[in-house]
Each structure stands twice: as structure tokens, then as C-alpha cells.
Amino acid sequence: MDKNMKILIVDDFSTMRRIIKNLLRDLGFTNTDEADDGNTAMPMLKTGKYDFLVTDWNMPGMSGFDLLKNVRADDQLKTLPILMVTAEAKRDQIVAAAQAGVNGYIIKPFTAAVLKEKIEKIFERIQ
Amino acid sequence: MSKSTDERHALEPELTAKLKQQSEQLVESVHAGDYSRAMAMISELAEVRNQGLYHEVGRLTRSLHEARRNFQIDPRNPEQQEALSKMTDASDRLEYVVKMTGEAANRTMDLVEESMPVARHLQDEAQDLHQQWQRLRRRDMEPTEFRELHARMDQFLVALSTDAGKLYGNLSEVLLAQDYQDLTGQVIQNVITLVRKVEDNLVSLVVMAGHVDQLTGTVHQIEDNQPSAEQGVGPQIMPEQRKDVLSGQDDVDDLLSSLGF
């Protein structure tokens, strides 16, 4: 796993973005950017050459689920690994996210160990 | 439960008695071929219905006034209406909670981010010195190196004391930053009390309006406005009591692996 990979963190709460950014830094990933919803994230993804996307689900503007669908529908972005970190815990939602092509799903509140495990799993499967 | 709902929705006994009596008389008149009396009965029946309706609308209006007074909205001054509304106050209070919790989270993270490199630096230095120390114990050290270690050890002990003091101070501040819980807890309790009161008042208004609906024969089509799962619904409260909600990361992992993840 390339520790220098470029990661976009999308969450409407700056505190949560900061927590994820800190946890990623502890795991050795320091090349991170932030966006506060899907509408802000989409243009960044299109121009920024990101290697990994970590997104919340429930956000004003474009939700994380719509962001997931938009990324999978975009020819250039469709293979981008996506990890959802969200409070959404309904069975139907998780099934929908899986069908839409999410690579990992973490429900809040979560631990640093879970984040590490899921990221490792995602990149193990890709390589 | 359904019995008490029936009772609440029932019309006045006086009204229903009159309705029964007069409709029986109406049927009798029609059977006897006395149509002019039958027409008079129909108009009397309409009168009973109208009186009931006026009565219920009157009660509904009084309740509305009552409810408005309970929410402390002063209708005489439109500008003050909003300012005096407890609901507006409740929104402000909740915004205050969002602000306070946000500030506390950021303050805590500031202190943690400041402390982590300090702890990491102490750890690195201690590990390095420990290695040197072991070399000394093995007598595997030149005199010049020993003098260096001696000076470094001295510096480290001074730094250890300063940095530990710094970490202790930061931890105390993290502790203090949690004081929002007391304040926001009180604010949220107040808002909960207000929401309960509003709900009680709304329920009695709905019961009143139900009487008017009965008298006018109105049937409402109520749309189910559930928040869309696609947009996201936020955290689930008490997930263990709901079948459609997973209660933790283990459940999510099980579900995903059953889907071939």
C-alpha cells in the first residue's frame, strides 16, 4: 500500500473530517484533502488524481450515496476505491451501497483499529 | 388504547341522542307517507348537525388560542411574534449546543495534536538513550562517547520534566473542555420539555379537529413523509430494538460478507 497516496475526505462536519485526517496520519497517510459534500467533492475528484475516497453518507447538497453513484458512473473515476464512514445503519442502505459499488463500510462511532483494518482490506483486494 | 381513542373521538352524547331520535322520527314519517313532516325533520336534523359543528369549531378556536398562549406567541405585535416564540428560542438553544460541542471538539483536538508530537519525541529520545545506556552497561563505550551520553542524559532529564509538565497541563485542559456537557445537557433537557408540551397540545388540537371532521364528514388523505434512505437519515437511536437496523460494525461486516465482500 502506497503511504503517499492521495486521499479525499468528505464529511459535512469539520470535526469528523479532522478526526479522520488525524487517524489517517497516524496510519502514515499524510496526503489528504477535505470536502464538505458531494457537490464540492466531485470537481476535486475529477481534477485532483485521487487514489482513495473516504465519505460520509448523510450530507446536505449531494449525499455520499449519490457521490458513490456519480463516481461509479464516471469513466475516469469508476475504479476509485471508496470507503463509507457513516452513521447510516439500516440494512437496506448497506445493501444499496454494496450494490452501488462501495469498497468498504464503517458505521460511526468507529475506532482507529476498524479504520486501519478496512483500509488494509480494501487495498489487499485491489492489489 | 383504541377504546380511549374512540371515547375522545365520540361526539357529545346530547348530540348523538338527538340524532338518533330525529332520524327514527324521519323514517317513521316517510313510512307513514307524511312527506311535509319528513322534510321538516330533515331540516331539523341539519340544524342539529350545524349546532354541533358550531360548538366544535368554537372549542377548536378556544384550544388554538390556548395553545398559542402556551407557546407564548403574542399576536398583537407581529415583530415580537417570532422573538417571543419559544420554538424560535428552542432552535437558538440547539444551535448553541451545536456551537458548544463543536468548539469543545476542536479545543480537545488542538490539545491532542499539540501533545502527540511531544509524547512521540520523548519516546524516540528515551529509546535512543536506552540503547546507549545498555552499551555503557556492557562497557562497550569510548570515554568521549560516555561524556556525550552524560551530557545528553542531563538534557533529557530536564526536557522530560518540562515536557511531562506540558502534557499534564494539556490533559487538564482537555478535561476542562468537557464542561460543555453540563451546559448543553441542561439546554437539551429544556428543549425536550418544550417539545413534549408542544406535542401534548398538538394532540388535543388534533382531537378537537377530529370532531369537526366527523360533523362535516371530511376524510383526510395523509401522506407518509418518511426521510429518504438515499439521502441518509442520520444515527439510529436504540438500534437493538429495530429489525431493519444493524447494531454494530460486526453486523455490517457479516452482512457485507454474505453479499460476497
Side-chain angles (χ1 to χ4, degrees), chain A residues 56-75:
Chain A
D56 184 22
W57 183 313
N58 189 7
M59 294 177 285
M62 192 199 291
S63 74
F65 185 63
D66 286 335
L67 178 63
L68 166 67
K69 287 194 292 188
N70 276 325
V71 167
R72 288 292 174 256
D74 187 293
D75 271 343

Side-chain angles (χ1 to χ4, degrees), chain A residues 39-91:
Chain A
N39 289 325
T40 337
M42 210 52 203
M44 291 174 79
L45 288 170
K46 280 188 174 168
T47 54
K49 296 201 189 324
Y50 287 92
D51 304 299
F52 187 36
L53 171 63
V54 180
T55 182
D56 184 22
W57 183 313
N58 189 7
M59 294 177 285
M62 192 199 291
S63 74
F65 185 63
D66 286 335
L67 178 63
L68 166 67
K69 287 194 292 188
N70 276 325
V71 167
R72 288 292 174 256
D74 187 293
D75 271 343
Q76 283 182 315
L77 299 174
K78 63 184 173 195
T79 58
L80 179 70
I82 300 175
L83 173 66
M84 278 205 138
V85 180
T86 171
E88 304 297 325
K90 285 179 133 180
R91 184 180 300 274

Side-chain angles (χ1 to χ4, degrees), chain A residues 15 18-19 22 26 57-59 61 63 65 69 87-91 93-94 98 102-103 105-107 114 118, chain B residues 105-106 109-110 113 116 229-236 242 244-246 248-249 252-253 255-256 259 261:
Chain A
T15 41
R18 199 170 163 189
I19 288 170
N22 269 299
D26 276 353
W57 183 313
N58 189 7
M59 294 177 285
S63 74
F65 185 63
K69 287 194 292 188
E88 304 297 325
K90 285 179 133 180
R91 184 180 300 274
Q93 290 178 305
I94 296 160
V102 82
N103 299 81
Y105 200 103
I106 294 177
I107 49 173
V114 167
K118 299 302 164 203
Chain B
N106 279 313
M109 284 191 282
D110 284 344
E113 280 176 16
M116 281 167 117
E230 291 223 341
Q231 181 60 37
V233 290
Q236 299 290 342
R242 295 187 47 175
D244 59 336
V245 171
L246 303 181
Q249 188 63 41
V252 175
D253 293 348
L255 174 61
L256 287 176
L259 294 168
F261 264 68

Side-chain angles (χ1 to χ4, degrees), chain B residues 16-258:
Chain B
T16 48
K18 256 190 192 169
L19 206 61
K20 232 180 218 169
Q21 187 206 342
Q22 293 190 329
S23 55
E24 276 162 14
Q25 283 177 10
L26 172 63
V27 174
E28 267 171 38
S29 307
V30 172
H31 280 300
D34 188 350
Y35 293 112
S36 69
R37 185 160 178 265
M39 291 304 163
M41 296 306 322
I42 289 174
S43 118
E44 267 181 53
L45 267 172
E47 188 61 26
V48 169
R49 172 185 171 276
N50 287 346
Q51 270 174 5
L53 187 59
Y54 299 148
H55 183 68
E56 289 300 333
V57 169
R59 279 196 358 193
L60 182 59
T61 314
R62 270 197 305 282
S63 305
L64 277 169
H65 279 286
E66 188 77 12
R68 198 199 55 218
R69 220 180 28 245
N70 286 344
F71 300 155
Q72 294 193 357
I73 302 167
D74 183 356
R76 281 162 300 184
N77 183 345
E79 273 176 1
Q80 278 182 351
Q81 258 183 41
E82 280 243 34
L84 286 173
S85 157
K86 274 197 175 174
M87 294 306 280
T88 313
D89 188 38
S91 314
D92 288 347
R93 281 159 182 257
L94 288 179
E95 264 167 34
Y96 167 79
V97 170
V98 172
K99 187 172 152 268
M100 290 279 284
T101 50
E103 279 172 4
N106 279 313
R107 179 81 192 113
T108 304
M109 284 191 282
D110 284 344
L111 290 159
V112 169
E113 280 176 16
E114 198 182 293
S115 303
M116 281 167 117
V118 176
R120 179 53 51 84
H121 182 254
L122 282 179
Q123 187 186 26
D124 291 346
E125 191 69 4
Q127 274 171 357
D128 202 37
L129 279 171
H130 186 232
Q131 276 177 3
Q132 304 286 334
W133 187 252
Q134 278 179 326
R135 276 183 61 206
L136 176 71
R137 283 173 50 152
R138 288 198 305 267
R139 299 175 192 283
D140 171 23
M141 197 173 254
E142 301 293 321
T144 49
E145 279 183 311
F146 173 72
R147 275 194 293 277
E148 230 173 73
L149 176 63
H150 193 269
R152 229 179 116 188
M153 188 63 96
D154 203 45
Q155 282 168 8
F156 177 69
L157 289 174
V158 173
L160 183 60
S161 168
T162 320
D163 289 349
K166 174 85 192 151
L167 290 178
Y168 188 91
N170 284 357
L171 286 174
S172 308
E173 278 196 61
V174 166
L175 194 70
L176 276 178
Q178 313 311 309
D179 66 349
Y180 73 91
Q181 217 285 328
D182 172 36
L183 301 168
T184 57
Q186 288 177 42
V187 169
I188 291 171
Q189 290 293 353
N190 288 340
V191 174
I192 290 172
T193 311
L194 174 67
V195 169
R196 289 230 171 95
K197 226 160 112 190
V198 170
E199 192 184 15
D200 286 348
N201 279 305
L202 279 177
V203 167
S204 39
L205 282 180
V206 167
V207 171
M208 297 270 157
H211 290 160
V212 174
D213 285 345
Q214 265 188 329
L215 284 163
T216 55
T218 312
V219 179
H220 297 280
Q221 289 228 321
I222 295 162
E223 281 174 37
D224 196 6
N225 269 332
Q226 289 275 336
S228 99
E230 291 223 341
Q231 181 60 37
V233 290
Q236 299 290 342
I237 312 299
M238 292 187 276
E240 59 283 351
Q241 292 178 13
R242 295 187 47 175
K243 279 197 180 136
D244 59 336
V245 171
L246 303 181
S247 57
Q249 188 63 41
D250 288 345
D251 287 353
V252 175
D253 293 348
D254 288 348
L255 174 61
L256 287 176
S257 69
S258 78

